Amino acid sequence: MATGNYGTIRPADVSIDDVEIYYSYTPNRESITNVELFPLDPAEVLIPANNPDNVTEIFGGLYTLKLPTSVFGTKGFYNIIIRPKQIRTTIQDCSVLVDNQDVKGIVFDINQIPIDLQNRFENGNLVGYRVEYLKEQLGTGQDKIQNLFRIITSNNRSLPITQNQGNSNASVAYTFNDNSTSVFCTVSPSSAPAIKPNAIPFIGNPQQNVIITNTFFDPVMLEIEMVEFDDETLAYALFSNQTKSLEDGIYTIYNFGNQIYRQYNLYEVKDQFTGKPLFEVREQKFTIDPTKDFDEITDF
Amino acid sequence: MKYIRKKINLENFTIRTIPKSVLIKNSEGKTVIDENNPKYYYGRIPEYKIDNEGNFLLNSFGQKIRNTINIDLYLTHKFDDMGIFSDNPYTPKTDTLTTKPQGFNSFTYGRLAGAPVNFYYTSPNSVSGYTDDGLLQQVKSYRKDVNGDDVYVPNLNTSDNTSNVFSGVLSEDNEKTIYKIGANINDINNSGINYTTFKNKFTKTKDEYGFDRSYKTTIFSVDNSGWNETNVSLSASTKKEEYLGVVFKPEVDSAVFINRGIADIFERHALLSEIKTTNDIDTNRGGFIRI
């Protein structure tokens, strides 16, 4: 007996068409509202790297996430979830193969699948996809049957054949036929364990809604904290150029490119009757004075 | 699910340039910023990339370039252990083949429908070569002759398991010593490894450190029964769902391993990562793990 094959971790070369991305935003960690997720178009924000030796070949593993500043330009916490694309459809039938009555499977109607996703349902393309089930009575609380999934082990276009079972009974079984629009999928697990031959695992019911998901890569969640300061900006205050205008008391801090980073008004608060100085104040100035350009000031 | 945390400073994307074109004189004759000028972006992060003058940068198609915060990711695809194979009986294809296809090699051809099991049999063969005389010491008797040399006694079994295994000298003359290592006690001639060490022939070589080394020339040979009805059968190799994820790791029987010691903080964690089944606790590193 062979001992089996072993797992591995490989760089994902998933197509952007098989990815979906969601994000949420919260200004701080104390937010009491529920997490609200918004979709992002993977075609716009996720760019795969190409192999430098062959620019028409995906490098594998390395992708660049290009987050639009119009959405991600606010201080706070963004959670980004990158996960395999989900396809929602309905089980057309649960049946067996005509020639192998012990092979059970679920049947989908290709015509119910969005046109741009129908090629996933061609023969063999669904192998490895995960099937998750929704409750047959929706809207009764949690719609999804939690912690239940099956893996598709084969899929083929199949034609329904009505079989006479005697006593005026008939049942439908399927036979492979590439001209059919029905797809017969075997799933795992679907056979009873040897220790309990009648305990056949649940694989779904006709007309039950399901979620079909590819397993081309492991989902990723990024928590991105957008901040206004880091070591670099703090270093501006310590080490970068500064000016103090003696005429109007404007104190300017420049970044390392000599661009105006912050401006402050410096002034004293005095007792209105005695003229005695009470406070020295440094107050941030939000209307920038452009005449404090460092290069112009020091150009003499 | 992989979880990645990043901290990004928005200042890196904030515009700090003030184009000359947005500067105007106010009623007092002082230079101020026209904050309504569309090219004024100071302190803001624009939706599209701009140059120092506040003009939009355009791509080769003349389109504005979206301003983005770029993060490189490494996506992986984890392929889990799929479980052990099980041998199942099968119904062979009828019209059994009677002759092997030309060039048939069971190792490269794999399964051939209609091929009977004897297609996979191979003839007995023998492997021989040269080696050193290190094993001669294992078959010597405890006696020495008048010159102080070891005495080799034919048919004296020197193995540790004399009831099942024969290791000893078969014959000896002035020219050579012929002996067996690891033979079946009931079939000495057809099992074990046969050695012939010549008394007056020497082989010179260099050891791994480059020093000259010399030993008595020795020839070994071993007969192999090949593949036959005792070690080959045909069955359908299947995976049972109840064994999904049940695998045996490759077991390495190593006599030597390096204990990196508790000085390495990762050592204990690294050890535990090698343990996946209770059986591993007993076998890992020759029983090194103790509970």
Side-chain angles (χ1 to χ4, degrees):
Chain A
M1 185 176 72
T3 54
N5 54 353
Y6 299 97
T8 186
I9 297 177
R10 57 184 284 275
D13 47 13
V14 61
S15 163
I16 301 303
D17 295 335
D18 290 314
V19 177
E20 60 186 28
I21 304 176
Y22 290 87
Y23 79 94
S24 68
Y25 169 76
T26 179
N28 52 57
R29 292 191 188 280
E30 290 81 39
S31 176
I32 56 173
T33 56
N34 291 335
V35 175
E36 191 175 3
L37 289 165
F38 304 95
L40 285 172
D41 183 358
E44 289 189 2
V45 300
L46 193 63
I47 311 296
N50 288 327
N51 190 329
D53 297 326
N54 185 357
V55 293
T56 56
E57 174 190 312
I58 188 170
F59 184 73
L62 184 60
Y63 291 75
T64 301
L65 193 60
K66 290 178 174 285
L67 304 175
T69 53
S70 56
V71 178
F72 292 87
T74 308
K75 181 185 172 188
F77 297 86
Y78 292 89
N79 286 319
I80 300 171
I81 293 170
I82 304 172
R83 67 177 189 178
K85 192 182 191 74
Q86 294 188 345
I87 303 171
R88 288 171 182 266
T89 188
T90 303
I91 295 176
Q92 184 185 29
D93 198 2
C94 296
S95 187
V96 296
L97 291 177
V98 170
D99 296 329
N100 295 82
Q101 300 275 332
D102 58 338
V103 176
K104 303 170 188 62
I106 52 181
V107 181
F108 299 114
D109 181 3
I110 288 185
N111 290 333
Q112 285 193 13
I113 307 299
I115 290 176
D116 58 324
L117 299 174
Q118 286 182 356
N119 63 341
R120 272 76 162 174
F121 285 70
E122 293 301 338
N123 294 350
N125 286 1
L126 282 178
V127 174
Y129 275 59
R130 183 178 67 236
V131 181
E132 293 167 300
Y133 300 86
L134 299 180
K135 290 177 182 169
E136 295 178 65
Q137 295 290 325
L138 300 180
T140 56
Q142 175 57 257
D143 284 343
K144 193 175 180 186
I145 301 176
Q146 293 169 285
N147 309 314
L148 176 67
F149 70 93
R150 298 287 179 255
I151 302 294
I152 295 176
T153 52
S154 75
N155 74 292
N156 289 280
R157 286 179 181 257
S158 304
L159 200 63
I161 305 289
T162 303
Q163 295 181 306
N164 186 2
Q165 299 290 322
N167 296 328
S168 301
N169 291 324
S171 66
V172 174
Y174 286 79
T175 184
F176 294 153
N177 185 322
D178 288 347
N179 295 320
S180 172
T181 58
S182 297
V183 177
F184 186 92
C185 302
T186 56
V187 296
S188 176
S190 63
S191 61
I195 55 169
K196 200 172 182 185
N198 294 326
I200 298 170
F202 173 83
I203 63 171
N205 287 318
Q207 306 311 314
Q208 185 167 17
N209 293 319
V210 293
I211 302 169
I212 302 173
T213 313
N214 72 65
T215 52
F216 298 155
F217 69 102
D218 300 326
V220 177
M221 175 169 163
L222 290 94
E223 184 197 84
I224 300 175
E225 182 181 359
M226 296 295 183
V227 297
E228 291 180 339
F229 305 100
D230 62 5
D231 297 349
E232 177 92 356
T233 55
L234 294 178
Y236 296 164
L238 286 172
F239 308 117
S240 70
N241 294 325
Q242 302 175 356
T243 59
K244 187 166 75 172
S245 172
L246 299 178
E247 182 185 357
D248 51 19
I250 294 177
Y251 172 49
T252 304
I253 298 175
Y254 303 88
N255 62 21
F256 292 133
N258 282 340
Q259 297 166 325
I260 296 173
Y261 175 60
R262 289 283 190 278
Q263 277 189 336
Y264 299 89
N265 286 318
L266 300 179
Y267 56 89
E268 284 186 345
V269 176
K270 295 180 179 177
D271 187 294
Q272 62 177 323
F273 303 110
T274 64
K276 180 184 175 186
L278 298 176
F279 298 98
E280 284 185 345
V281 178
R282 190 183 83 165
E283 185 177 35
Q284 187 169 352
K285 185 175 176 1
F286 293 101
T287 302
I288 297 299
D289 182 348
T291 63
K292 301 301 183 288
D293 182 89
F294 186 82
D295 292 332
E296 288 186 6
I297 292 173
T298 56
D299 184 21
F300 46 80
Chain B
M1 168 75 83
K2 203 160 54 174
Y3 181 66
I4 301 169
R5 289 188 65 187
K6 279 190 176 294
K7 189 177 280 193
I8 294 175
N9 187 4
L10 292 172
E11 178 62 24
N12 297 330
F13 306 91
T14 303
I15 299 298
R16 294 294 175 197
T17 54
I18 303 174
K20 300 286 185 199
S21 60
V22 304
L23 300 182
I24 56 174
K25 298 279 187 187
N26 65 8
S27 58
E28 299 170 359
K30 190 177 178 189
T31 301
V32 293
I33 294 170
D34 176 10
E35 295 189 0
N36 296 320
N37 191 310
K39 293 185 178 179
Y40 177 66
Y41 286 97
Y42 183 87
R44 289 186 287 155
I45 302 174
E47 185 176 351
Y48 297 95
K49 291 187 184 299
I50 60 171
D51 61 16
N52 287 340
E53 296 303 318
N55 300 312
F56 289 116
L57 297 174
L58 303 177
N59 63 17
S60 56
F61 300 105
Q63 298 165 324
K64 291 185 283 190
I65 302 170
R66 190 175 287 276
N67 200 11
T68 57
I69 299 168
N70 296 351
I71 300 169
D72 285 339
L73 292 173
Y74 199 74
L75 298 182
T76 55
H77 183 202
K78 188 178 179 189
F79 201 78
D80 212 351
D81 299 338
M82 289 300 289
I84 57 174
F85 285 100
S86 297
D87 288 349
N88 276 8
Y90 72 106
T91 305
K93 183 175 181 290
T94 51
D95 296 338
T96 306
L97 298 177
T98 53
T99 55
K100 291 183 183 179
Q102 193 172 6
F104 179 80
N105 180 328
S106 59
F107 288 99
T108 57
Y109 220 101
R111 179 72 186 119
L112 176 64
V117 66
N118 60 21
F119 273 30
Y120 299 87
Y121 293 169
T122 58
S123 306
N125 54 44
S126 179
V127 177
S128 62
Y130 286 90
T131 183
D132 64 18
D133 58 0
L135 290 171
L136 187 61
Q137 292 292 311
Q138 286 193 15
V139 294
K140 71 181 181 181
S141 70
Y142 290 122
R143 291 189 289 137
K144 294 188 182 294
D145 63 13
V146 292
N147 298 320
D149 295 329
D150 294 324
V151 172
Y152 296 93
V153 180
N155 301 321
L156 174 65
N157 190 349
T158 60
S159 85
D160 295 333
N161 181 8
T162 54
S163 56
N164 294 311
V165 178
F166 175 82
S167 294
V169 175
L170 298 178
S171 66
E172 189 191 31
D173 56 28
N174 291 333
E175 187 183 344
K176 60 187 179 297
T177 305
I178 300 174
Y179 51 103
K180 279 266 187 181
I181 298 291
N184 183 335
I185 196 75
N186 297 316
D187 190 13
I188 295 174
N189 288 332
N190 297 314
S191 60
I193 304 174
N194 198 69
Y195 292 88
T196 300
T197 297
F198 295 94
K199 293 184 175 178
N200 300 314
K201 285 185 182 176
F202 293 87
T203 299
K204 267 191 168 184
T205 183
K206 289 185 183 297
D207 65 14
E208 58 186 313
Y209 303 108
F211 295 109
D212 289 336
R213 183 171 168 242
S214 163
Y215 50 78
K216 290 175 183 172
T217 301
T218 302
I219 297 172
F220 75 90
S221 67
V222 60
D223 294 328
N224 189 315
S225 65
W227 298 110
N228 53 44
E229 64 278 6
T230 65
N231 51 27
V232 173
S233 66
L234 292 180
S235 58
S237 196
T238 60
K239 285 178 180 291
K240 293 185 177 177
E241 288 177 338
E242 59 207 85
Y243 294 143
L244 197 68
V246 178
V247 294
F248 302 113
K249 290 183 72 175
E251 292 182 5
V252 178
D253 187 7
S254 174
V256 178
F257 69 90
I258 299 170
N259 178 13
R260 293 180 289 269
I262 59 170
D264 185 339
I265 60 171
F266 298 114
E267 171 65 7
R268 281 175 287 181
H269 300 294
L271 279 174
L272 291 175
S273 72
E274 297 166 1
I275 307 295
K276 282 195 172 177
T277 67
T278 51
N279 189 48
D280 284 352
I281 297 172
D282 296 330
T283 59
N284 188 272
R285 300 190 179 192
F288 176 72
I289 307 289
R290 297 188 191 285
I291 298 179

